[in-house]
Structures are given as structure tokens and as C-alpha cells.
Amino acid sequence: ADGRAAALHKGRETLRIEAEAVAALRLGEAFADAVELILSSSGQVVVTGMGKSGIIARKIVATLISTGTPALFLHPAEAVHGDLGLVRPTDVVLALSKSGATREISELLPAFRRLGVPIIALVGRPGGGEIGRLADLVLDASVPAEACPLDLAPTASTTAALALGDALAVALLDRRGFTADDFALNHPGGSLGKRLQLSVGEMMAAGSALPVVGCRAPLAEALLEMTTKRLGATAVTDETGALCGILVDGDLRRLLARTHNIAGLTVEEVMSHAPKTTTADVRAAVALRQMEEYAISQLIVVDEGQRPVGMVHLHDLVRAGLT
């Protein structure tokens, strides 16, 4: 029991130290200058780092690429054995180092200088150390202490560097006007790709599968339409074919709770008069959020003339993996 309590205490202390390290980061003019420098470049952001900093550098590259900023990871040891040829004068270098004195990075930066490539140093040491002196801009990712009780293993420092890299990527995303549609082009696979790419038009029941009745139709006709189309609802149209309501299972249950005498009723006497609608080009994930917001199971899809052209059901979106 004492061991479990100690583990919980140490885990919570680690999270506290790392959260405080990120909260203590202060962005100044150098950060804004770094964003402008990258935006003005016609090349890529070449991110380099050694050891744990190299692992963080790879994650920063992945985030930059997925949010619209071309980037690549350059291993510093491989760079001096030929991979430096990947770098062009139009690029910008982002060099990561906790100490500000990583030998492999220090030896590599003069080569970047000879290529005329601007250098941004992301350093976990106030002032930037030797690497900071060789850079054009220094981003301070220093932390008071590591979460490691020996103050040796990079923990809080790598978290701070990662957060600073994320801040840089998001600031660039914002300045570029990068949209969810742009993001979708880079993420076609998996559940994320589905959330970003599937449209309502791809998911809706349309044509002969769309339940629809006129507002003056007998209620029995609507019941038959709902039963055969199996969407738990039917769109209701006026004399011009425009949407004027929706009849759902819940409307029928509430009606039957009041009376069993339904023989002479028409659809417009029972339907809801303000149905929630969407359009075929809307992303399915947006339609799902709309259903969740209004606690409904169906959305009617309308065209420019407010005529129903389809219906999308909550269960279909869930089965498609959009949750």
C-alpha cells in the first residue's frame, strides 16, 4: 500500500512540475520574429536535435507538416556525413538543445551559416549558450528543474520544448489562414480522416430512400412512409415541395399518450414545424455536433430552395466512426 501511495505521489508531482514548466514559458519578440521569418521563407523548416531533443524535433516536424508548414527532420550526425545536402538557402533551421552546448549541433551550425540559412535556436538554457550565440533568434525553453528527482533525465525540459514547438506551429497555422479543409487534405486516413472528409451528402438517405410526405397527407400515410424507410422520421413538404416540417417517432408517442383517436388527423396537425436542417456539402462531423447540440437523431438535408433532398441519421454517423 505504501508503494502505491508513493507512486501516486510521484506521478502527481511529475505532472505538477511539468505543468508549471509550461506555464512559466514566456513568449517575447523573438517568438514573433521566428514566425515572421518562417512565413517569409519559400523553403522548409529544417528541424534538428540530438538525443531526446531529436525526438521532440521529430514531433515538431510532424505538427508543422500537418498544419501547413513544410518541414523535415535532419539528424545532426547524419548531416555532417552528406545529409546537409537536403538543406537549401531558402530554408530556415530550427535547432533544439537543452544545454545550449550540444556538440553535434554546435559543429553543424557553422555549416548552415555558410549556406546562408537563418537559424532559430530553441534552447533550454537562459541566454541560449553557445548555440544561442550562433543563432539569429533564440527561443527560451528553460525550466527551473526537471521532474526527474536526480535532475538528469529530460522531462520538464522536453515537455516545455514540445509545447513551444506546438505554439510555433499553431501561430503559423493561424497566420497562414489554414482551415479544417486544408487539414483534411493532409489526413485522409483513419477516424480523423473520416471526421474531416466525410460530407453529409455521402452519408444521407436520398432518392427513393428519403421519407417524405405532404403536409395535408393523412397521418396513416406518414406512418407507412416512416415504417418502410426506417429512419424514424419523415420530412414534410408544402404544396410547392419546400420543407415545412418533420414528423418523428417522438411526435407519434406524444400523440398516443394524449389520444388513440388518430383516424382523421393529417400530418400538419402532428408534425414539428421548425425542423433542423443542413446541406449536402457540410462535413458529417459538423452535422453530428448539431445533432448532439439539439438532442435529435435526424437532420433533413435541403437544397437552395429549401426542398428536402436527403436525411442523415445519428446512428449512421456513429457507425461511420465519427464519434
Side-chain angles (χ1 to χ4, degrees), residues 37-183:
L37 180 60
I38 294 171
L39 284 172
S40 66
S41 167
S42 60
Q44 303 185 94
V45 180
V46 178
V47 190
T48 187
M50 196 71 188
K52 303 298 188 298
S53 292
I55 295 171
I56 299 302
R58 288 182 172 91
K59 167 55 172 64
I60 291 174
V61 166
T63 303
L64 287 170
I65 291 172
S66 69
T67 53
T69 298
L72 63 85
F73 173 73
L74 181 66
H75 194 290
E78 299 294 338
V80 296
H81 291 283
D83 282 3
L84 192 62
L86 293 169
V87 184
R88 296 290 180 266
T90 53
D91 295 334
V92 175
V93 165
L94 177 63
L96 277 64
S97 171
K98 177 193 174 184
S99 66
T102 307
R103 178 178 57 81
E104 292 86 353
I105 302 294
S106 297
E107 292 176 353
L108 185 58
L109 295 192
F112 292 136
R113 283 287 187 201
R114 288 192 292 273
L115 290 171
V117 179
I119 301 167
I120 303 167
L122 196 161
V123 184
R125 175 179 177 179
E130 180 183 355
I131 289 171
R133 288 191 293 273
L134 292 169
D136 298 284
L137 295 169
V138 178
L139 301 180
D140 185 359
S142 58
V143 298
E146 298 288 4
C148 167
L150 304 176
D151 199 27
L152 294 175
T155 45
S157 61
T158 48
T159 301
L162 181 59
L164 194 49
D166 285 344
L168 192 61
V170 172
L172 288 163
L173 174 155
D174 182 67
R175 286 295 307 279
R176 294 184 193 280
F178 195 77
T179 67
D181 289 332
D182 297 323
F183 196 83

Side-chain angles (χ1 to χ4, degrees), residues 261-287:
N261 184 19
I262 64 173
L265 293 176
T266 61
V267 174
E268 63 183 342
E269 295 177 89
V270 184
M271 71 183 189
S272 299
H273 291 266
K276 303 300 180 185
T277 63
T278 186
T279 55
D281 60 334
V282 168
R283 288 193 302 278
V286 174

Side-chain angles (χ1 to χ4, degrees), residues 117-297:
V117 179
I119 301 167
I120 303 167
L122 196 161
V123 184
R125 175 179 177 179
E130 180 183 355
I131 289 171
R133 288 191 293 273
L134 292 169
D136 298 284
L137 295 169
V138 178
L139 301 180
D140 185 359
S142 58
V143 298
E146 298 288 4
C148 167
L150 304 176
D151 199 27
L152 294 175
T155 45
S157 61
T158 48
T159 301
L162 181 59
L164 194 49
D166 285 344
L168 192 61
V170 172
L172 288 163
L173 174 155
D174 182 67
R175 286 295 307 279
R176 294 184 193 280
F178 195 77
T179 67
D181 289 332
D182 297 323
F183 196 83
L185 293 175
N186 295 339
H187 297 78
S191 59
L192 180 58
K194 289 182 180 179
R195 290 187 64 86
L196 292 169
Q197 292 193 320
L198 275 178
S199 69
V200 167
E202 295 174 274
M203 299 296 299
M204 70 184 187
S208 61
L210 171 64
V212 58
V213 295
C215 61
R216 296 182 181 176
L219 187 57
E221 181 180 328
L223 288 171
L224 179 61
E225 187 77 351
M226 293 169 65
T227 301
T228 56
K229 303 298 175 62
R230 296 188 171 186
L231 288 174
T234 181
V236 184
T237 57
D238 62 17
E239 295 82 357
T240 69
L243 181 70
C244 64
I246 185 172
L247 184 67
V248 302
D249 287 337
D251 295 323
L252 298 175
R253 288 194 298 271
R254 286 185 288 272
L255 173 65
L256 292 174
R258 298 194 307 269
T259 179
H260 292 286
N261 184 19
I262 64 173
L265 293 176
T266 61
V267 174
E268 63 183 342
E269 295 177 89
V270 184
M271 71 183 189
S272 299
H273 291 266
K276 303 300 180 185
T277 63
T278 186
T279 55
D281 60 334
V282 168
R283 288 193 302 278
V286 174
L288 178 61
R289 288 198 298 271
Q290 189 176 355
M291 291 184 191
E292 292 170 341
E293 178 183 355
Y294 292 108
I296 58 178
S297 298

